Amino acid sequence: MFNFLKSSKRATEPQTFYQQLGGESAVRAIANGFYDVMERDPRAKELLAMHPQPLDTIREKFFEFLSGWFGGPALFEEKYGHPRLRARHMPFTIDERMRDQWLLCMYQVLDEQVQDDLLKIQLRAQFTNLAHHMINTH
């Protein structure tokens, strides 16, 4: 009878940010690019000063965090447990100035590495919300 109502095709799941970006290598490039911007842009010098040097360990942790946050493998959680970002950052003074320096670096790396405009807008919105949430000093 009317078998066309019983489609054999399943609705495809929307791709995660991780998949849309291109997987591990692209996410690692974003994490590293973020710190590259921080190191080279004098407008982020106070933010850079807050980070332990050399940046090798923090680069890897940021990649691991982004992997899970973007919907890929939960590498950070597997190693360190739930990110609890606000709690982990409480020892640091994060005000609007630090938020803005962080977003400056993140927006720059997104502009450099994300070609899809809609994806870039979505990621900017996600990072902006995250950065606002991290403020712990007014």
Side-chain angles (χ1 to χ4, degrees):
M1 191 147 172
F2 297 101
N3 286 335
F4 66 88
L5 295 176
K6 294 181 182 179
S7 175
S8 63
K9 288 185 179 179
R10 298 183 60 156
T12 55
E13 294 288 320
Q15 285 194 323
T16 64
F17 288 144
Y18 185 87
Q19 293 165 322
Q20 291 177 64
L21 288 165
E24 180 181 344
S25 62
V27 173
R28 186 175 295 281
I30 288 172
N32 285 324
F34 171 82
Y35 286 103
D36 292 344
V37 172
M38 188 187 301
E39 286 182 305
R40 76 175 178 249
D41 194 321
R43 296 173 294 173
K45 69 180 178 184
E46 294 167 300
L47 181 64
L48 177 61
M50 293 174 70
H51 287 79
Q53 301 293 321
L55 295 173
D56 300 343
T57 301
I58 198 74
R59 284 173 185 265
E60 184 65 18
K61 282 185 177 179
F62 192 46
F63 158 70
E64 292 165 346
F65 167 74
L66 287 179
S67 176
W69 198 63
F70 284 156
L75 304 172
F76 187 94
E77 286 188 39
E78 290 169 8
K79 280 187 180 178
Y80 307 105
H82 190 281
R84 300 179 307 116
L85 289 180
R86 235 174 111 73
R88 289 183 194 268
H89 288 80
M90 274 300 170
F92 307 98
T93 300
I94 302 174
D95 56 14
E96 291 177 356
R97 188 176 74 253
M98 289 297 100
R99 175 206 59 201
D100 292 347
Q101 288 182 31
W102 193 90
L103 286 172
L104 170 87
C105 298
M106 184 51 66
Y107 290 171
Q108 180 66 39
V109 76
L110 292 176
D111 287 344
E112 291 172 1
Q113 296 190 24
V114 179
Q115 304 307 311
D116 182 291
D117 288 336
L118 178 58
L119 179 58
K120 191 182 314 185
I121 290 167
Q122 292 170 325
L123 291 173
R124 277 181 171 236
Q126 294 292 323
F127 281 121
T128 300
N129 288 336
L130 178 62
H132 286 301
H133 176 71
M134 298 302 292
I135 293 175
N136 60 24
T137 304
H138 294 281

